[in-house]
Amino acid sequence: MKLNGKTILVTGASKGIGFGIADYLLKHGAKVGVHYHSGKAQANSLVKKYGSEHAKALQADLANSDEVLLLFENAVVFLGKIDTLILNAGVFLPHPMDTGVKEWYRIWKQTLAINLDAVGLMTKVSLDHFMENNTGRIIYIGSRAAFRGETEEYLAYAASKGGLTSLARSVARSFGKYDIKAFVIAPGFTRTAMAEQFIGEYGEAKVLDEIALNKLTEVTDIAPLVGFICSGAMDHATGTTIDINAGSYIH
């Protein structure tokens, strides 16, 4: 796959799915803004690997709206213009029902601030940018939780991914005439550090029992699909949700 000339911003790109996506895009010739919150060394490892003319590490706390806006501005400065925005950053924070109500709500607000509020703001500024350039793509990294629900410890996470999915579909329907496309990729459990907390609590056997295949989804199962979308080959599938969950939820 050739992505030469493609300019892409990936949020949450210092680890997990985002890191794998950014690495794949850079490997295939794209120019990438590599967003990170605290993983500076990991983000800069991609800059070192592919060169500062192809990758730039961009720091921002997505819970802070001013930093969200600055992130997008800095990405445009580096990339010139953005072809595709990949909204991957997210948190998976437990807040079980035996948590006190104030702490429960604090985690709820923290989750939605990063997983949905920042996504909404990035969507707004990217739509303005894309309408000026008469084209663009947004790829939202969602979750199967938006469709099948989640365990009671992760109500905020499921709610945030449900909102993200609806937003993506609305963007696809409302902005297609501007040649703006939107997609959702909805993973199930993927072998990343974020999922290890759940696996550590419930055991890998429980997770494997839920899926149709014999092993958990890896980041390398997701990144090529993202690259394919970035290439423009799937533009007429705008509005689509693509499930990558090892057959654990089919709809």
Side-chain angles (χ1 to χ4, degrees):
M1 183 182 301
K2 293 183 179 180
L3 295 173
N4 302 77
K6 299 297 184 183
T7 52
I8 303 166
L9 171 60
V10 184
T11 68
S14 65
K15 58 186 177 181
I17 292 173
F19 183 91
I21 289 171
D23 188 37
Y24 183 91
L25 298 175
L26 285 160
K27 179 180 179 180
H28 288 84
K31 187 175 183 180
V32 179
V34 181
H35 162 255
Y36 71 96
H37 177 209
S38 58
K40 182 177 181 179
Q42 297 92 325
N44 277 322
S45 72
L46 292 175
V47 179
K48 182 177 180 180
K49 182 176 180 180
Y50 293 102
S52 58
E53 69 276 21
H54 299 294
K56 184 176 180 63
L58 301 167
Q59 196 278 335
D61 177 0
L62 298 186
N64 183 317
S65 60
D66 290 337
E67 293 192 29
V68 172
L69 295 174
L70 187 59
L71 167 63
F72 194 84
E73 292 172 7
N74 289 338
V76 171
V77 169
F78 171 64
L79 296 169
K81 70 177 182 69
I82 296 174
D83 295 325
T84 302
L85 170 63
I86 301 172
L87 293 167
N88 164 76
V91 293
F92 187 63
L93 304 174
H95 56 155
M97 291 306 295
D98 59 3
T99 305
V101 64
K102 289 185 178 181
E103 176 64 6
W104 188 97
Y105 190 50
R106 183 194 67 78
I107 297 171
W108 172 279
K109 290 194 294 182
Q110 181 183 358
T111 300
L112 266 66
I114 297 169
N115 291 11
L116 189 56
D117 293 347
V119 165
L121 185 53
M122 288 288 276
T123 296
K124 160 60 178 168
V125 294
S126 67
L127 288 173
D128 290 341
H129 180 77
F130 292 154
M131 285 190 286
E132 289 178 3
N133 291 286
N134 299 307
T135 190
R137 295 178 197 86
I138 308 176
I139 301 173
Y140 298 83
I141 306 300
S143 170
R144 69 177 183 186
F147 307 100
R148 64 160 230 171
E150 193 47 271
T151 59
E152 58 98 358
E153 297 94 338
Y154 297 97
L155 297 185
Y157 177 81
S160 70
K161 294 302 184 179
L164 176 152
T165 300
S166 181
L167 172 62
R169 291 172 174 176
S170 298
V171 169
R173 294 195 65 218
S174 299
F175 295 91
K177 297 302 184 185
Y178 297 94
D179 197 31
I180 297 170
K181 290 75 59 177
F183 308 84
V184 178
I185 294 177
F189 267 100
T190 305
R191 194 176 291 282
T192 65
M194 192 167 78
E196 289 300 329
Q197 179 179 352
F198 185 95
I199 293 172
E201 183 175 351
Y202 293 97
E204 186 165 333
K206 177 177 175 60
V207 180
L208 290 173
D209 284 345
E210 292 185 354
I211 68 176
L213 301 181
N214 292 319
K215 67 183 185 73
L216 290 179
T217 303
E218 304 278 350
V219 172
T220 51
D221 298 313
I222 298 172
L225 175 60
V226 176
F228 191 59
I229 296 173
C230 290
S231 76
M234 282 191 65
D235 281 356
H236 280 260
T238 186
T240 298
T241 296
I242 305 164
D243 299 303
I244 303 182
N245 61 46
S248 61
Y249 185 72
I250 300 169
H251 62 104

mmCIF file of all heavy atoms in Angstrom, residues 181-202:
data_model
loop_
_atom_site.group_PDB
_atom_site.id
_atom_site.type_symbol
_atom_site.label_atom_id
_atom_site.label_comp_id
_atom_site.label_asym_id
_atom_site.label_seq_id
_atom_site.Cartn_x
_atom_site.Cartn_y
_atom_site.Cartn_z
ATOM 1 N N LYS A 181 -15.577 12.342 4.434
ATOM 2 C CA LYS A 181 -16.009 10.988 4.761
ATOM 3 C C LYS A 181 -15.707 10.672 6.217
ATOM 4 O O LYS A 181 -14.774 11.219 6.790
ATOM 5 C CB LYS A 181 -15.293 9.959 3.876
ATOM 6 C CG LYS A 181 -15.711 9.969 2.416
ATOM 7 C CD LYS A 181 -15.171 11.121 1.594
ATOM 8 C CE LYS A 181 -13.655 11.194 1.556
ATOM 9 N NZ LYS A 181 -13.159 12.296 0.674
ATOM 10 N N ALA A 182 -16.531 9.795 6.790
ATOM 11 C CA ALA A 182 -16.329 9.404 8.192
ATOM 12 C C ALA A 182 -16.553 7.910 8.334
ATOM 13 O O ALA A 182 -17.457 7.335 7.718
ATOM 14 C CB ALA A 182 -17.283 10.173 9.104
ATOM 15 N N PHE A 183 -15.729 7.291 9.173
ATOM 16 C CA PHE A 183 -15.774 5.848 9.382
ATOM 17 C C PHE A 183 -15.599 5.544 10.870
ATOM 18 O O PHE A 183 -14.940 6.291 11.584
ATOM 19 C CB PHE A 183 -14.646 5.143 8.613
ATOM 20 C CG PHE A 183 -14.583 5.502 7.160
ATOM 21 C CD1 PHE A 183 -13.917 6.646 6.733
ATOM 22 C CD2 PHE A 183 -15.193 4.699 6.214
ATOM 23 C CE1 PHE A 183 -13.851 6.993 5.394
ATOM 24 C CE2 PHE A 183 -15.138 5.028 4.862
ATOM 25 C CZ PHE A 183 -14.469 6.182 4.450
ATOM 26 N N VAL A 184 -16.165 4.435 11.303
ATOM 27 C CA VAL A 184 -15.917 3.935 12.653
ATOM 28 C C VAL A 184 -15.269 2.566 12.545
ATOM 29 O O VAL A 184 -15.762 1.689 11.819
ATOM 30 C CB VAL A 184 -17.217 3.808 13.469
ATOM 31 C CG1 VAL A 184 -16.925 3.237 14.857
ATOM 32 C CG2 VAL A 184 -17.908 5.154 13.596
ATOM 33 N N ILE A 185 -14.178 2.379 13.251
ATOM 34 C CA ILE A 185 -13.612 1.045 13.445
ATOM 35 C C ILE A 185 -13.896 0.661 14.890
ATOM 36 O O ILE A 185 -13.553 1.393 15.817
ATOM 37 C CB ILE A 185 -12.112 1.024 13.156
ATOM 38 C CG1 ILE A 185 -11.876 1.296 11.660
ATOM 39 C CG2 ILE A 185 -11.498 -0.317 13.554
ATOM 40 C CD1 ILE A 185 -10.427 1.380 11.270
ATOM 41 N N ALA A 186 -14.566 -0.460 15.065
ATOM 42 C CA ALA A 186 -15.028 -0.864 16.394
ATOM 43 C C ALA A 186 -14.338 -2.152 16.827
ATOM 44 O O ALA A 186 -14.833 -3.252 16.571
ATOM 45 C CB ALA A 186 -16.551 -1.056 16.390
ATOM 46 N N PRO A 187 -13.195 -2.030 17.493
ATOM 47 C CA PRO A 187 -12.522 -3.235 17.979
ATOM 48 C C PRO A 187 -13.255 -3.851 19.170
ATOM 49 O O PRO A 187 -14.007 -3.177 19.885
ATOM 50 C CB PRO A 187 -11.143 -2.725 18.411
ATOM 51 C CG PRO A 187 -11.026 -1.343 17.842
ATOM 52 C CD PRO A 187 -12.423 -0.833 17.761
ATOM 53 N N GLY A 188 -13.012 -5.133 19.378
ATOM 54 C CA GLY A 188 -13.320 -5.752 20.650
ATOM 55 C C GLY A 188 -12.050 -5.684 21.482
ATOM 56 O O GLY A 188 -11.260 -4.745 21.368
ATOM 57 N N PHE A 189 -11.857 -6.686 22.319
ATOM 58 C CA PHE A 189 -10.623 -6.691 23.095
ATOM 59 C C PHE A 189 -9.426 -6.869 22.170
ATOM 60 O O PHE A 189 -9.380 -7.784 21.361
ATOM 61 C CB PHE A 189 -10.645 -7.777 24.165
ATOM 62 C CG PHE A 189 -11.147 -7.260 25.475
ATOM 63 C CD1 PHE A 189 -12.455 -7.472 25.873
ATOM 64 C CD2 PHE A 189 -10.321 -6.516 26.298
ATOM 65 C CE1 PHE A 189 -12.924 -6.968 27.074
ATOM 66 C CE2 PHE A 189 -10.781 -6.009 27.494
ATOM 67 C CZ PHE A 189 -12.090 -6.232 27.884
ATOM 68 N N THR A 190 -8.493 -5.948 22.306
ATOM 69 C CA THR A 190 -7.267 -5.963 21.531
ATOM 70 C C THR A 190 -6.105 -6.029 22.516
ATOM 71 O O THR A 190 -6.146 -5.381 23.561
ATOM 72 C CB THR A 190 -7.162 -4.696 20.664
ATOM 73 O OG1 THR A 190 -8.347 -4.595 19.852
ATOM 74 C CG2 THR A 190 -5.933 -4.746 19.770
ATOM 75 N N ARG A 191 -5.098 -6.795 22.172
ATOM 76 C CA ARG A 191 -3.997 -6.988 23.111
ATOM 77 C C ARG A 191 -3.153 -5.718 23.202
ATOM 78 O O ARG A 191 -2.195 -5.516 22.469
ATOM 79 C CB ARG A 191 -3.133 -8.182 22.702
ATOM 80 C CG ARG A 191 -2.177 -8.633 23.811
ATOM 81 C CD ARG A 191 -1.400 -9.864 23.423
ATOM 82 N NE ARG A 191 -2.230 -11.043 23.335
ATOM 83 C CZ ARG A 191 -2.657 -11.752 24.379
ATOM 84 N NH1 ARG A 191 -2.339 -11.366 25.606
ATOM 85 N NH2 ARG A 191 -3.402 -12.808 24.209
ATOM 86 N N THR A 192 -3.567 -4.837 24.102
ATOM 87 C CA THR A 192 -2.859 -3.592 24.378
ATOM 88 C C THR A 192 -2.774 -3.423 25.891
ATOM 89 O O THR A 192 -3.448 -4.129 26.651
ATOM 90 C CB THR A 192 -3.584 -2.372 23.795
ATOM 91 O OG1 THR A 192 -4.850 -2.215 24.471
ATOM 92 C CG2 THR A 192 -3.824 -2.530 22.301
ATOM 93 N N ALA A 193 -2.005 -2.447 26.320
ATOM 94 C CA ALA A 193 -1.873 -2.187 27.756
ATOM 95 C C ALA A 193 -3.208 -1.805 28.366
ATOM 96 O O ALA A 193 -3.496 -2.140 29.519
ATOM 97 C CB ALA A 193 -0.846 -1.084 27.982
ATOM 98 N N MET A 194 -4.060 -1.082 27.599
ATOM 99 C CA MET A 194 -5.343 -0.658 28.130
ATOM 100 C C MET A 194 -6.243 -1.854 28.449
ATOM 101 O O MET A 194 -6.975 -1.857 29.432
ATOM 102 C CB MET A 194 -6.060 0.277 27.151
ATOM 103 C CG MET A 194 -7.251 0.982 27.759
ATOM 104 S SD MET A 194 -7.876 2.341 26.738
ATOM 105 C CE MET A 194 -8.800 1.467 25.492
ATOM 106 N N ALA A 195 -6.170 -2.891 27.623
ATOM 107 C CA ALA A 195 -6.988 -4.075 27.846
ATOM 108 C C ALA A 195 -6.426 -4.984 28.928
ATOM 109 O O ALA A 195 -7.157 -5.797 29.508
ATOM 110 C CB ALA A 195 -7.125 -4.864 26.546
ATOM 111 N N GLU A 196 -5.136 -4.846 29.216
ATOM 112 C CA GLU A 196 -4.510 -5.745 30.185
ATOM 113 C C GLU A 196 -5.112 -5.599 31.581
ATOM 114 O O GLU A 196 -5.113 -6.552 32.362
ATOM 115 C CB GLU A 196 -3.000 -5.498 30.233
ATOM 116 C CG GLU A 196 -2.252 -5.971 28.991
ATOM 117 C CD GLU A 196 -2.398 -7.468 28.726
ATOM 118 O OE1 GLU A 196 -2.539 -8.242 29.696
ATOM 119 O OE2 GLU A 196 -2.385 -7.851 27.550
ATOM 120 N N GLN A 197 -5.618 -4.413 31.904
ATOM 121 C CA GLN A 197 -6.246 -4.217 33.203
ATOM 122 C C GLN A 197 -7.455 -5.133 33.358
ATOM 123 O O GLN A 197 -7.638 -5.780 34.388
ATOM 124 C CB GLN A 197 -6.675 -2.760 33.379
ATOM 125 C CG GLN A 197 -7.363 -2.470 34.704
ATOM 126 C CD GLN A 197 -7.757 -1.007 34.836
ATOM 127 O OE1 GLN A 197 -7.405 -0.172 34.019
ATOM 128 N NE2 GLN A 197 -8.509 -0.699 35.876
ATOM 129 N N PHE A 198 -8.272 -5.189 32.317
ATOM 130 C CA PHE A 198 -9.445 -6.067 32.342
ATOM 131 C C PHE A 198 -9.013 -7.523 32.365
ATOM 132 O O PHE A 198 -9.544 -8.329 33.142
ATOM 133 C CB PHE A 198 -10.329 -5.786 31.122
ATOM 134 C CG PHE A 198 -11.625 -6.563 31.114
ATOM 135 C CD1 PHE A 198 -12.777 -5.982 31.602
ATOM 136 C CD2 PHE A 198 -11.685 -7.851 30.613
ATOM 137 C CE1 PHE A 198 -13.972 -6.682 31.590
ATOM 138 C CE2 PHE A 198 -12.864 -8.558 30.598
ATOM 139 C CZ PHE A 198 -14.025 -7.977 31.099
ATOM 140 N N ILE A 199 -8.050 -7.867 31.532
ATOM 141 C CA ILE A 199 -7.575 -9.250 31.474
ATOM 142 C C ILE A 199 -6.999 -9.661 32.820
ATOM 143 O O ILE A 199 -7.216 -10.786 33.297
ATOM 144 C CB ILE A 199 -6.529 -9.411 30.350
ATOM 145 C CG1 ILE A 199 -7.203 -9.222 28.982
ATOM 146 C CG2 ILE A 199 -5.845 -10.769 30.427
ATOM 147 C CD1 ILE A 199 -6.233 -9.160 27.826
ATOM 148 N N GLY A 200 -6.272 -8.740 33.455
ATOM 149 C CA GLY A 200 -5.690 -9.044 34.751
ATOM 150 C C GLY A 200 -6.739 -9.310 35.812
ATOM 151 O O GLY A 200 -6.537 -10.126 36.720
ATOM 152 N N GLU A 201 -7.869 -8.626 35.704
ATOM 153 C CA GLU A 201 -8.926 -8.786 36.701
ATOM 154 C C GLU A 201 -9.772 -10.026 36.451
ATOM 155 O O GLU A 201 -10.127 -10.744 37.382
ATOM 156 C CB GLU A 201 -9.817 -7.547 36.710
ATOM 157 C CG GLU A 201 -10.919 -7.585 37.762
ATOM 158 C CD GLU A 201 -11.708 -6.290 37.831
ATOM 159 O OE1 GLU A 201 -11.296 -5.300 37.188
ATOM 160 O OE2 GLU A 201 -12.741 -6.272 38.536
ATOM 161 N N TYR A 202 -10.084 -10.279 35.186
ATOM 162 C CA TYR A 202 -11.024 -11.354 34.867
ATOM 163 C C TYR A 202 -10.351 -12.599 34.292
ATOM 164 O O TYR A 202 -10.970 -13.667 34.236
ATOM 165 C CB TYR A 202 -12.083 -10.852 33.874
ATOM 166 C CG TYR A 202 -12.999 -9.814 34.472
ATOM 167 C CD1 TYR A 202 -12.758 -8.461 34.268
ATOM 168 C CD2 TYR A 202 -14.090 -10.173 35.249
ATOM 169 C CE1 TYR A 202 -13.591 -7.491 34.814
ATOM 170 C CE2 TYR A 202 -14.932 -9.215 35.798
ATOM 171 C CZ TYR A 202 -14.677 -7.884 35.572
ATOM 172 O OH TYR A 202 -15.500 -6.929 36.120
#
